[in-house]
Amino acid sequence: MSKIAIDMMGTDLGITPIIGALKVFMKKYQDVTFILIGNEKELKTAAEETKLDNTKYEIFATTEIIAMTEGMMEVRRKPDSSMVRGAELLRDQKVDALVSGGSTAAFLAACHFLVGEIPSVSRSAFMPFIPTVKKGKSILMLDVGANLENDAQDLVNFAIMASVYAQEIMHNPKPTVAMLNIGEETTKGKDYHKEAYKLLTNNNKFFFKGNIEPRDITSDIVDIIVTDGFTGNIALKTLEGMAKNLMGVIKHELTKNFYRKLKALSLRKVFRCVCETFDYRNNAAALVIGLKAIAVKTHGSSDEKSWINTLELTRNAVVNDFVQKMTAKLLKGD
């Protein structure tokens, strides 16, 4: 039986969408239990009102909350916060994974200082799924915000770790890797891009296909895209914003008058399919890849649907023993 800890406090929407997602998730899976960390009274009341299965969770009471607007120093200032206690449970191997929708900076600090990275990995990374034009196909992109800067060796490590995930969990035996850059030519980018290109080309642990431009991220050209955290975060948020705005424009134009509404009815299944493909709530979470244990960060504004998909991602990593497999591949000398 796997055990997942959830930092229940400090999100934008509170605990309601998390509790709702847990109710759905508990009915679907019988091999996972949860530790809900946070304000005992609030959690107990919400769980009882929702009639959450009390055989599948326990409450870990804490007295402090790290707010969404607070940073890494709060990890030291608030030792009894839900986020810190969750990281301690993960460090002490009392849970198999930790999930949080709280402050990104604080979560990364807690993971780094309390859990730690795998030997040979100097920096962990956020790794989300990015939808593509091919139905049902997503790619992995990292880093998308765990770091402001990365060096060439970081990108190589990202490629190795993502390749293991693609092989072991996505069942892709030969995942392809590309590096996000301003052009496909080998001479493009900063010095570290050029150095990374050479290292990626000469590494036999994955299949490197060269540079990829931002406009091709969702084009289903490769399976994995590696980049520094600053660039990756901008690219990810641009994609999310563009998808959301595009769907809004389409909806507005289709409902402008009665005639358009009538015509749109015949195409509603098509539009529903498109919206579902690029709905960021399907991919709201990112694995903090590179740690000694499984940690997952989801958006602070995640709703119930986002949280259900976040828990799916977490469970998949746990039941497939991902960290152990990734560690073995990273430490292997060939």
Side-chain angles (χ1 to χ4, degrees), residues 243-269:
K244 181 180 179 180
N245 291 334
L246 180 61
M247 294 304 108
V249 171
I250 291 174
K251 182 178 179 181
H252 173 73
E253 292 298 326
L254 288 174
T255 57
K256 224 171 184 181
N257 54 55
F258 177 77
Y259 177 74
R260 287 191 179 184
K261 288 180 182 179
L262 193 62
K263 295 292 288 184
L265 283 174
S266 63
L267 296 172
R268 60 185 175 180
K269 289 185 179 179

Side-chain angles (χ1 to χ4, degrees), residues 29 46-48 51 55 72 120 168 184 201-202 212 245 286 319:
Y29 296 105
E48 290 177 351
K51 296 181 180 180
T55 66
M72 59 185 297
S120 83
E168 299 295 338
E184 296 181 4
T201 301
N202 295 326
I212 189 171
N245 291 334
V319 299

Side-chain angles (χ1 to χ4, degrees), residues 44-116:
K44 187 176 181 180
T45 299
E48 290 177 351
E49 289 179 349
T50 314
K51 296 181 180 180
L52 210 59
D53 186 345
N54 59 18
T55 66
K56 294 184 178 180
Y57 75 91
E58 58 184 286
I59 294 175
F60 189 114
T62 58
T63 59
E64 297 176 309
I65 299 173
I66 295 179
M68 186 65 71
T69 55
E70 294 180 311
M72 59 185 297
M73 292 305 297
E74 302 311 308
V75 172
R76 294 185 180 274
R77 294 170 180 158
K78 296 181 177 180
D80 197 40
S81 63
S82 52
M83 187 179 290
V84 171
R85 293 305 186 199
E88 289 174 343
L89 289 174
L90 189 62
R91 175 198 63 193
D92 298 338
Q93 300 181 354
K94 293 181 179 179
V95 295
D96 300 297
L98 170 65
V99 184
S100 177
S103 164
T104 298
F107 188 62
L108 286 169
C111 288
H112 173 70
F113 291 113
L114 295 174
V115 181

Side-chain angles (χ1 to χ4, degrees), residues 4 22 38 53 72 78 89 142 150 159 165 174 192 325:
I4 298 172
L22 282 167
D53 186 345
M72 59 185 297
K78 296 181 177 180
L89 289 174
L142 64 167
N150 292 104
Y165 189 96
K174 295 182 178 181
Y192 94 91
K325 292 173 180 176

Side-chain angles (χ1 to χ4, degrees), residues 7-38:
D7 167 20
M8 300 289 291
M9 316 307 292
T11 65
D12 293 329
L13 301 181
I15 67 172
T16 300
I18 312 176
I19 294 292
L22 282 167
K23 187 171 184 179
V24 173
F25 197 81
M26 287 175 179
K27 289 181 179 179
K28 184 175 181 180
Y29 296 105
Q30 307 303 315
D31 59 351
V32 184
T33 60
F34 298 89
I35 295 182
L36 312 184
I37 313 171

Side-chain angles (χ1 to χ4, degrees), residues 211-232:
N211 290 326
I212 189 171
E213 296 185 33
R215 63 187 176 190
D216 292 321
I217 290 175
T218 61
S219 298
D220 189 33
I221 295 175
V222 293
D223 303 304
I224 298 162
I225 298 176
V226 294
T227 182
D228 65 275
F230 184 83
T231 305

